[in-house]
Amino acid sequence: MPETHYTADEMMTIAAARMLRNGTVCFVGIGLPSAAANVARLTHAPDVVLIYESGPIGTKPSVLPLSIGDGELAETAETVVSIPEMFAYWLQGGRIDFGFLGAAQIDRFANINTTVIGDYRGPKTRLPGAGGAPEIAASSKEVLITLRQNKRAFVPKLDFVTSGGHFDGGDARQRMGLPGKGPVAVITDLCIMTPDHATKELTLTSLHPGVTLEKVMESTGWPLKVSTHLAVTPEPAEVELSVLRDLNERTARAHAGQA
Amino acid sequence: MESLATLLSLKEAIQEYVHDGATLALEGFTHLIPYAAGHEIVRQKRRDLTVIRMTPDLIYDQMIGTGCVSRLQFSWGGNPGVGSLHRLRDAVENSWPRPLEIVEHAHAGMAAAYAAGAAGLPFGMLRGYLGSDLPKYNPQIKFIECPFTGERLAAIPAIRPDVTIIHAQKADHRGNVLMWGVVGVQKEAALAAKHAIVTVEEIVHKLDASPNAVVLPSWVVSAVCEVKGGAFPSYAQGYYARNNAFYKAWDAIARERDSFEDWMNRYVFGVKDFHEFRSAVEAARA
C-alpha cells in the first residue's frame, strides 16, 4: 500500500462516520462505532442524537468513553434513562434510526458473532457475548457495522449467530419478523460493502484509496461479490483527520493515569 | 406493615443475608458497582452461589476466580473497552477453579426479566432474540405468540434473587436510599429480591431528593451500609470518576492464575475491610 498521510484505521473511522446522517438518532456500540459516531457529531452531523445502552440520550462526550457507561456520558446527556426503559421504550419502541455495531466475526449476509469462537459448549475462545446487540440489530431502522477486515473476522460460516443481519439472504429477515431493515453498510479498514438489493449478500462497493481489489479478496473468507460501479472512498479531509486525532489525543490523556 | 432498613456494617450484612448456595444479584451498569460487597463475599468465602449480573465486570471475575460461584446468569461478560474477563474465561474454558455453569442472555432479555421480578410477574417479555443462536443454548429463552396480533415475542423467566446488592450515593438515617446518573437496572433488581442490601457513599440527615428522583424507600431495603468509595474502581457520580486505569491494569493482573491469586491474597484476603483495601491500593501507588 502506498504511503498516505493517514492510517487505515483513521480511514475506517472516518468512512464509518460519514455514513451517519445529521439529525438522525443513533444507538452507539462501544469501541470503533463510538469513535465513528463522535467524529460524525463533531464534523458533518452536529445534530445527531447519540444514545448509549447504559442510559444516556443525546450525549456529547468530549472524550471517547472506555466503558459504555462512563460518567461523562451521563453528565453531557439530555436525559439518562434506566436500562429497562432504554431497551423497551427507546429501542424496541422503534425510535432508533441507526444501530452502530462492531463484531468479532461477520458472514456474507452481515450476520455477526460476538459470543464464541469454536463450539459453544467447548469454546476455543470465549468472547464477551451479546450485550445489547441482538435487539439493536433487530429493532434499529438501519444498522451500520464497522470492524477490521481479515480472514479470521470475515468467515464463510459463523461459529455462533449472536445478532441477525440478513440471515441466509433475500427476504429472510422480514419473514423472521425483525422490524428494522438490517445492515445497510459494513465499513472496514480496507473498504465499504453494502448488501445487494435483492440477494442481500454483501457486495464490495468502495475501495479505500490505495487498497487493491486483491488485498480485499485475500482478507475475506468467501468469494466477495464486487459491484459493477466500484468506487474509491474519498480520502479523509483535513478537518476530519484533525477532529479524529484531537479526539483520540484527548481520550488517551483522559484514560491514562495510575490505577 | 413493612419493617425499615437496618443500618449495619457491611460485614454484618453479608453474614446475615448472604448464605452458601444463595442466588445473588450485584447490579450496577458500569456505574455504582458494589465492589466493597463483592470483596466482603469473597473474604467470607461463600460457596456455590448463583450470581446474576448483566455485565459481570471485574467484580464477578474476582468472585468466580476465588471459587465462590457455581452458576452465572449474564448478558455481556467482558472488561469494558479493554478485553476479556480472564477469570470468567478460565472458568468457562478450563473449569478453573471449579466448573461454571453459564446462563447467557442479551441485555434486553435480562432487563425484561428483572422488571418482571420487580412486578411479581412470572416472566418478562420482549421483541428479542429473533434469529439469534442464544435460544438454542439457553432453555430460559422461549417464544410466545401475542394473543392479539400473533407477533412472535420472547419470554424469559422473572429474575427473583434471594439477595440483591447495589451501591448508591446516599441514604438517610431511616435507610431511604437515593441514586442518580446511570441508574441501570438497580431499582428493578432491588424490588425483585427477597432482600436488598445497599451500600452508600454517605449517610446524611436528609436526602433532599426531587419528587421524581430514583429513591428506594427504607421499607423495601433490608440493610444499608455506609462504605465510602465502595464502588471503586467503578464510579459514583458526584463523588469520584471511574478509574479507567485500574480497569486496564486488571487485564494483566487477572490474565494468569498466579498473578490473580497474589493480588487477591494481598488486596482482598489480606485486609479486613474495603477501607483497608483502598489504603493498600493507595500505598502501592505512592
Side-chain angles (χ1 to χ4, degrees):
Chain A
M1 198 168 148
E3 281 292 308
T4 55
H5 62 288
Y6 52 87
T7 67
D9 269 9
E10 287 174 336
M11 182 72 254
M12 166 172 60
T13 302
I14 288 166
R18 289 171 182 161
M19 296 283 173
L20 207 51
R21 294 190 294 274
N22 194 23
T24 57
V25 178
C26 178
F27 204 108
V28 187
I30 206 68
L32 298 173
S34 176
N38 280 286
V39 168
R41 179 177 62 81
L42 295 167
T43 54
H44 68 278
D47 297 322
V48 70
V49 176
L50 301 187
I51 296 183
Y52 286 72
E53 66 189 15
S54 59
I57 293 178
T59 184
K60 299 171 177 66
S62 64
V63 303
L64 297 173
L66 183 69
S67 84
I68 201 90
D70 282 19
E72 205 200 353
L73 294 174
E75 284 161 10
T76 62
E78 280 150 13
T79 183
V80 181
V81 301
S82 74
I83 297 278
E85 177 176 333
M86 175 57 76
F87 283 97
Y89 300 176
W90 299 89
L91 180 59
Q92 292 173 56
R95 294 182 165 81
I96 307 299
D97 296 315
F98 282 106
F100 213 149
L101 298 173
Q105 282 187 335
I106 187 165
D107 69 13
R108 72 179 72 200
F109 293 109
N111 303 298
I112 62 181
N113 173 17
T114 53
T115 301
V116 70
I117 306 295
D119 180 60
Y120 184 81
R121 297 193 205 284
K124 202 168 111 204
T125 306
R126 180 59 232 203
L127 303 168
E135 286 70 34
I136 297 172
S139 282
S140 303
K141 289 172 193 158
E142 300 180 47
V143 176
L144 299 169
I145 300 168
T146 180
L147 75 165
R148 295 186 187 92
Q149 193 161 358
N150 56 62
K151 272 194 169 150
R152 273 172 300 129
F154 283 70
V155 295
K157 187 170 168 31
L158 298 181
D159 291 330
F160 191 97
V161 178
T162 309
S163 307
H166 297 288
F167 300 101
D168 56 358
D171 64 351
R173 193 181 158 93
Q174 256 173 307
R175 279 188 281 112
M176 292 172 74
L178 282 74
K181 267 205 302 202
V184 293
V186 177
I187 305 99
T188 77
D189 49 347
L190 302 178
C191 66
I192 301 171
M193 287 156 272
T194 56
D196 177 80
H197 183 66
T199 68
K200 300 297 180 192
E201 182 169 343
L202 286 177
T203 305
L204 174 62
T205 46
S206 185
L207 285 168
H208 295 337
V211 177
T212 62
L213 189 57
E214 290 67 37
K215 173 72 182 166
V216 172
M217 292 301 172
E218 73 193 29
S219 307
T220 309
W222 67 86
L224 179 64
K225 295 255 166 51
V226 181
S227 166
T228 48
H229 305 288
L230 183 60
V232 174
T233 312
E235 286 202 323
E238 281 310 319
V239 60
E240 290 172 318
L241 269 180
S242 66
V243 163
L244 172 59
R245 286 173 183 171
D246 287 352
L247 181 62
N248 283 337
E249 205 177 293
R250 287 197 302 274
T251 301
R253 243 190 342 252
H255 295 175
Q258 287 184 307
Chain B
M1 180 69 188
E2 296 281 347
S3 59
L4 299 181
T6 317
L7 303 185
L8 292 177
S9 74
L10 179 56
K11 188 176 174 183
E12 292 168 326
I14 301 300
Q15 275 168 347
E16 182 166 345
Y17 292 104
V18 179
H19 307 298
D20 286 356
T23 296
L24 305 183
L26 277 66
E27 275 298 347
F29 200 91
T30 305
H31 181 214
L32 296 173
I33 300 177
Y35 271 93
H39 281 197
E40 189 55 39
I41 291 166
V42 167
R43 238 182 333 264
Q44 293 192 21
K45 298 199 164 100
R46 289 295 177 273
R47 288 293 178 269
D48 293 318
L49 300 173
T50 290
V51 295
I52 304 170
R53 236 187 99 72
M54 294 180 67
T55 60
D57 207 271
L58 315 191
I59 191 173
Y60 278 7
D61 216 29
Q62 294 171 358
M63 289 169 64
I64 290 165
T66 49
C68 300
V69 179
S70 56
R71 190 171 197 250
L72 167 70
Q73 180 174 341
F74 74 110
S75 43
W76 192 85
N79 179 348
V82 178
S84 291
L85 292 174
H86 297 292
R87 296 301 98 219
L88 167 58
R89 270 185 66 176
D90 203 12
V92 172
E93 294 171 11
N94 309 305
S95 296
W96 193 91
R98 51 167 301 159
L100 178 69
E101 185 191 343
I102 58 169
V103 180
E104 185 165 4
H105 284 278
H107 284 344
M110 290 278 284
Y114 271 123
L121 290 167
F123 66 88
M125 186 189 68
L126 68 156
R127 183 182 291 119
Y129 298 105
L130 294 167
S132 172
D133 280 344
L134 280 167
K136 293 182 193 165
Y137 296 94
N138 181 352
Q140 282 192 345
I141 305 167
K142 306 280 189 206
F143 291 92
I144 56 170
E145 190 176 284
C146 168
F148 306 103
T149 64
E151 183 176 357
R152 190 164 179 259
L153 299 164
I156 314 296
I159 294 174
R160 301 301 305 269
D162 295 316
V163 185
T164 285
I165 307 177
I166 61 172
H167 188 75
Q169 279 99 340
K170 287 180 188 182
D172 65 18
H173 290 284
R174 288 170 58 82
N176 299 299
V177 171
L178 171 66
M179 68 187 102
W180 67 87
V182 169
V183 293
V185 74
Q186 286 98 301
K187 184 178 185 174
E188 289 77 8
L191 293 176
K194 295 191 188 86
H195 294 286
I197 299 173
V198 186
T199 57
V200 294
E201 287 297 319
E202 58 177 336
I203 293 178
V204 297
H205 181 62
K206 203 165 178 290
L207 288 182
D208 282 323
S210 68
N212 300 109
V214 182
V215 168
L216 288 174
S218 180
W219 52 272
V220 298
V221 176
S222 294
V224 170
C225 320
E226 189 176 38
V227 187
K228 188 168 177 272
F232 172 92
S234 130
Y235 71 105
Q237 195 110 39
Y239 291 79
Y240 46 94
R242 190 174 192 266
N243 195 316
N244 282 329
F246 186 92
Y247 274 85
K248 289 180 174 173
W250 183 253
D251 189 68
I253 294 166
R255 190 172 286 271
E256 303 299 332
R257 294 171 187 174
D258 285 350
S259 54
F260 168 73
E261 291 189 319
D262 287 349
W263 192 92
M264 293 302 294
N265 283 333
R266 180 167 171 198
Y267 291 108
V268 180
F269 291 112
V271 301
K272 88 173 188 310
D273 58 21
F274 206 69
H275 179 72
E276 272 195 23
F277 161 72
R278 295 296 309 279
S279 306
V281 169
E282 287 290 331
R285 188 191 298 180

